[in-house]
């Protein structure tokens, strides 16, 4: 859940509203809760208020009714000892003896290499043997080739990927989903609505296609139904932020039946995607020819976030810009050297577009 906050301050959870949401969800069948060390913090370098609040919400017997998932802040790890210290701190913050599902948070090439060099497998084995965690997994933000490498590297129980009908082939994507399932990993899906962008930010013509295909079906229902009809998907994290959303999502889940996805519905999703893609600002194909940038800027990722903003009016694009990219990787670190321009097969004026991205996401 993205918990309600006071005065738009992400660090100040509205305890009364959030408590009502969580208790209602559990009382009506929700049994998997996902949090992380930095959730509801000013930025991802600090511990947030999500874990301590969830500890309060799970008092009075509620902890025993749910599976609790949280994550090791991979980017903050500098040693094997750090991993142990973070886990022990999280157990204390969550006021629990064990964590049901523990993830290495946000793996990419940089964090994966760092964790490997610091003995992450020994850490996970020790935590499992000590009963501090019950299932080991990871969440992922990079290309599918690395995803497969990570899947094959350890005896994971589960993984977590960004996946929705628009991002079907982004990052791990459908290829990664099926690969993990063949390896007997449970797959948890995050961003099924892209932070609400597939609802509130859906272009008018895309929305019309879906509504004309199945009159009366909401955009939320379309997105969940697309996921629920894929047998490889184990859990969908819906990111609810209000009590009304909790009730809506539970009603949709209760009324869902397998096997009702039609060819016509699949074609409608494809047509809606084409409408969205026509709004793309930068024709970047993520070929990587422009990389590496001598200053460390992640050019394809910056363009991807920029396109998210323009195609879906995605409010979480800015959050991902600061959460997933370190300072060197952001567009604001571009020095306009122009070395990337001659390498780009799409002939994108990369320095000028980097200026646009930096201004777009400026604080």
């Amino acid at each position: 859940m993205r918990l309600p906050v006071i005065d738009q301050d992400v660090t100040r959870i509205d305890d009364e509203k959030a408590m009502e949401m969580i208790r209602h969800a559990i009382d009506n069948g929700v049994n998997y809760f996902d949090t992380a060390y930095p959730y509801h913090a000013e930025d991802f370098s600090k511990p947030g208020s999500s874990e301590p609040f969830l500890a309060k919400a799970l008092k009075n017997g509620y902890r025993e009714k749910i599976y609790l998932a949280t994550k090791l802040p991979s980017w903050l790890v500098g040693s094997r000892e750090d991993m142990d210290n973070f886990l022990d701190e999280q157990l204390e913050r969550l006021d629990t003896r064990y964590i049901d599902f523990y993830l290495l948070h946000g793996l990419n090439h940089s964090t994966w290499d760092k964790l490997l060099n610091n003995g992450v497998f020994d850490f996970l084995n020790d935590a499992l043997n000590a009963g501090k965690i019950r299932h080991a997994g990871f969440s992922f933000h990079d290309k599918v080739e690395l995803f497969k490498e990570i899947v094959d590297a350890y005896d994971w129980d589960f993984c977590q990927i960004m996946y929705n009908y628009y991002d079907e082939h982004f990052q791990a994507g459908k290829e990664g989903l099926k690969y993990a399932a063949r390896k007997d990993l449970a797959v948890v899906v995050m961003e099924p609505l892209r932070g609400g962008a597939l609802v509130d930010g859906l272009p008018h013509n895309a929305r019309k296609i879906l509504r004309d295909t199945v009159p009366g079906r909401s955009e939320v229902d379309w997105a969940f139904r697309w996921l629920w009809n894929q047998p490889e998907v184990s859990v969908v994290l819906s990111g609810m932020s209000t009590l009304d959303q909790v009730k809506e999502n539970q009603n949709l889940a209760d009324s869902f039946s397998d096997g009702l996805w039609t060819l016509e519905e699949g074609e409608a999703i494809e047509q809606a995607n084409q409408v969205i893609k026509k709004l793309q600002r930068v024709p970047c194909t993520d070929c990587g020819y422009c990389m590496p940038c001598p200053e460390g800027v992640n050019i394809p990722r910056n363009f991807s976030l920029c396109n998210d903003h323009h195609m879906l009016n995605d409010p979480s694009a800015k959050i991902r810009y600061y959460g997933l990219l370190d300072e060197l990787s952001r567009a604001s670190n571009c020095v306009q050297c122009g070395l990337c321009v001659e390498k780009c097969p799409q002939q994108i004026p990369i320095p000028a577009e980097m200026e646009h991205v930096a201004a777009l996401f400026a604080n």
Side-chain angles (χ1 to χ4, degrees):
M1 290 182 176
R2 293 177 171 87
L3 299 172
V5 298
I6 298 170
D7 296 333
Q8 298 184 322
D9 182 348
V10 296
T11 68
R12 299 175 62 203
I13 294 172
D14 188 320
D15 283 16
E16 183 177 352
K17 290 181 180 179
M19 185 74 73
E20 184 181 19
M21 285 173 58
I22 289 174
R23 294 286 175 86
H24 179 90
I26 297 173
D27 289 341
N28 288 274
V30 174
N31 66 355
Y32 186 97
F33 281 78
D34 172 90
T35 184
Y37 187 75
Y39 287 178
H40 285 279
E42 291 179 2
D43 59 62
F44 271 31
S45 68
K46 302 178 180 67
S49 53
S50 177
E51 288 179 333
F53 171 77
L54 195 54
K56 291 189 293 184
L58 296 178
K59 298 291 186 186
N60 303 319
Y62 279 89
R63 171 68 181 93
E64 290 71 32
K65 297 180 180 181
I66 63 106
Y67 297 105
L68 179 60
T70 195
K71 311 174 187 75
L72 175 76
S74 307
W75 55 94
L76 297 179
V77 169
S79 67
R80 169 70 170 78
E81 184 181 16
D82 283 346
M83 301 182 212
D84 293 311
N85 291 339
F86 278 123
L87 175 55
D88 288 341
E89 181 184 354
Q90 289 176 284
L91 288 167
E92 183 175 349
R93 280 161 53 82
L94 287 160
D95 193 18
T96 186
R97 293 182 294 104
Y98 63 91
I99 293 163
D100 297 286
F101 293 87
Y102 196 65
L103 301 89
L104 310 182
H105 196 170
L107 293 188
N108 55 32
H109 270 291
S110 174
T111 53
W112 177 237
D113 289 344
K114 181 168 63 172
L115 292 178
L116 283 179
N117 291 335
N118 284 289
V120 69
F121 298 150
D122 286 340
F123 161 71
L124 291 174
N125 290 336
D126 288 349
L128 287 163
N129 291 334
K132 293 181 178 181
I133 66 175
R134 295 191 170 179
H135 301 281
F138 64 94
S139 64
F140 183 81
H141 291 287
D142 212 308
K143 294 185 178 181
V144 67
E145 292 78 16
L146 177 63
F147 178 80
K148 292 179 179 179
E149 176 186 324
I150 295 173
V151 166
D152 292 340
Y154 184 73
D155 186 20
W156 308 101
D157 294 309
F158 72 111
C159 62
Q160 184 169 309
I161 62 173
M162 179 178 177
Y163 190 58
N164 53 65
Y165 68 74
Y166 178 72
D167 293 306
E168 183 176 5
H169 304 293
F170 180 61
Q171 294 184 359
K174 182 180 284 290
E175 183 179 349
L177 171 72
K178 291 183 174 294
Y179 188 83
R182 288 197 300 271
K183 299 285 185 172
D184 293 324
L185 272 69
V187 181
V188 178
V189 167
M190 55 182 157
E191 300 291 351
L193 305 178
R194 251 185 173 260
L198 291 178
V199 181
D200 299 328
L202 199 65
H204 170 76
N205 288 342
R207 193 185 309 273
K208 186 176 186 303
I209 290 168
L210 299 183
R211 290 185 174 181
D212 287 350
T213 302
V214 183
R217 178 184 292 175
S218 71
E219 288 78 12
V220 176
D221 196 356
W222 271 99
F224 284 144
R225 193 177 294 266
W226 184 84
L227 288 166
W228 289 334
N229 270 284
Q230 299 185 50
E232 299 88 358
V233 173
S234 306
V235 176
V236 177
L237 302 177
S238 64
M240 301 171 284
S241 57
T242 69
L243 181 59
D244 285 343
Q245 290 175 359
V246 173
K247 293 177 179 179
E248 177 188 18
N249 291 354
Q250 288 184 303
N251 288 336
L252 291 175
D254 288 342
S255 63
F256 174 74
S257 297
D258 291 329
L260 298 180
W261 192 256
T262 66
L263 179 62
E264 184 183 17
E265 289 169 309
E267 290 174 347
I269 287 290
E270 286 303 313
Q271 292 171 19
N273 274 332
Q274 290 305 313
V275 170
I276 298 169
K277 289 173 182 176
K278 286 180 180 179
L279 298 175
Q280 182 183 53
R281 177 185 169 96
V282 185
C284 175
T285 62
D286 196 15
C287 67
Y289 290 178
C290 59
M291 299 291 285
C293 165
E295 301 299 321
V297 177
N298 188 329
I299 297 170
R301 178 61 64 83
N302 278 278
F303 283 157
S304 174
L305 294 170
C306 172
N307 284 331
D308 289 349
H309 172 87
H310 287 288
M311 291 188 291
L312 288 165
N313 192 27
D314 187 349
S316 63
K318 183 173 182 177
I319 296 172
R320 292 196 294 274
Y321 177 79
Y322 287 100
L324 298 179
L325 295 173
D326 59 32
E327 191 170 353
L328 291 178
S329 301
R330 296 172 194 154
S332 56
N333 192 43
C334 174
V335 298
Q336 303 289 302
C337 70
L339 293 177
C340 50
V341 176
E342 61 186 30
K343 301 176 185 178
C344 177
Q346 308 300 325
Q347 298 183 321
I348 298 169
I350 295 175
E353 291 296 344
M354 283 294 113
E355 281 192 318
H356 171 76
V357 177
L360 185 67
F361 296 131
N363 279 324

